[in-house]
Amino acid sequence: MASEREVLTYELFGTAVRDLAQQVVDSGYEPDLVLSIARGGLGLGMGLGYALDVKNLSAINVEFYTGVDERLELPVMLPPTPDAVDLAGLKVLIADDVADTGKTLEIVRDFCADHVAEARMAVIYEKPWTVVHPDYVWRRTEAWIDFPWSAEPPLVRRDRRHG
């Protein structure tokens, strides 16, 4: 079972975006802003923006994974973060690729909580052990997920050491 993988192709990704957008429409939620969690949520956020006719898109960068099953102890929000003033009173749809531990979604939800009128979350995949359960989920799985944008290694390796 451990070697079983969930494989998301670009074609299935397109299906996931439309299905998630339809869930949002069916729920009656009308977001003013789609807030994508970079990097994994950027494609979903763009797709949801088009499908839901929301032109106000923003991104927030949260670092957690450093590799396969290698995580930082706690997720860290990286600058620039959206200005809380710009979020005031908005209905926000937070988009990410997966709710695995849920801690990344949790930090973004908590960041939005004090400023926005309402925040809901949409993810392509949800793992059963997540601490946050998104409002809109395309599929649930326990398997490691191969996303089409990260299934192959980068064309270049950037030196991430400082100093």
Side-chain angles (χ1 to χ4, degrees):
M1 275 307 258
S3 64
E4 189 180 313
R5 288 176 178 246
E6 178 82 29
V7 178
L8 183 71
T9 62
Y10 276 113
E11 186 177 359
L12 271 176
F13 171 67
T15 301
V17 170
R18 293 299 289 195
D19 288 353
L20 283 167
Q22 191 63 59
Q23 287 182 39
V24 175
V25 169
D26 292 347
S27 75
Y29 190 59
E30 295 180 12
D32 302 304
L33 169 78
V34 177
L35 179 61
S36 301
I37 299 177
R39 295 181 295 182
L42 290 172
L44 177 59
M46 177 196 67
L48 290 172
Y50 275 95
L52 298 171
D53 197 26
V54 176
K55 292 185 177 178
N56 193 3
L57 305 180
S58 189
I60 192 163
N61 202 344
V62 180
E63 188 161 273
F64 203 160
Y65 278 99
T66 53
V68 176
D69 277 341
E70 295 173 31
R71 296 186 186 99
L72 300 172
E73 208 167 306
L74 290 170
V76 178
M77 237 187 296
L78 304 175
T81 55
D83 194 325
V85 173
D86 296 337
L87 299 176
L90 297 182
K91 292 200 305 196
V92 176
L93 182 62
I94 300 166
D96 204 3
D97 52 358
V98 60
D100 189 336
T101 66
K103 291 185 179 179
T104 299
L105 283 162
E106 186 177 47
I107 199 172
V108 174
R109 181 196 64 194
D110 292 350
F111 171 78
C112 290
D114 295 335
H115 310 290
V116 305
E118 186 178 355
R120 294 190 188 179
M121 297 175 280
V123 297
I124 302 169
Y125 290 102
E126 180 186 77
K127 301 284 182 97
W129 45 79
T130 181
V131 297
V132 170
H133 294 283
D135 305 273
Y136 311 104
V137 176
W138 183 62
R139 284 197 179 156
R140 290 172 174 85
T141 184
E142 293 184 23
W144 178 261
I145 304 156
D146 285 333
F147 290 99
W149 45 84
S150 59
E152 294 185 52
L155 297 173
V156 296
R157 287 279 179 200
R158 305 210 184 269
D159 185 2
R160 289 196 164 82
R161 288 174 292 167
H162 303 286

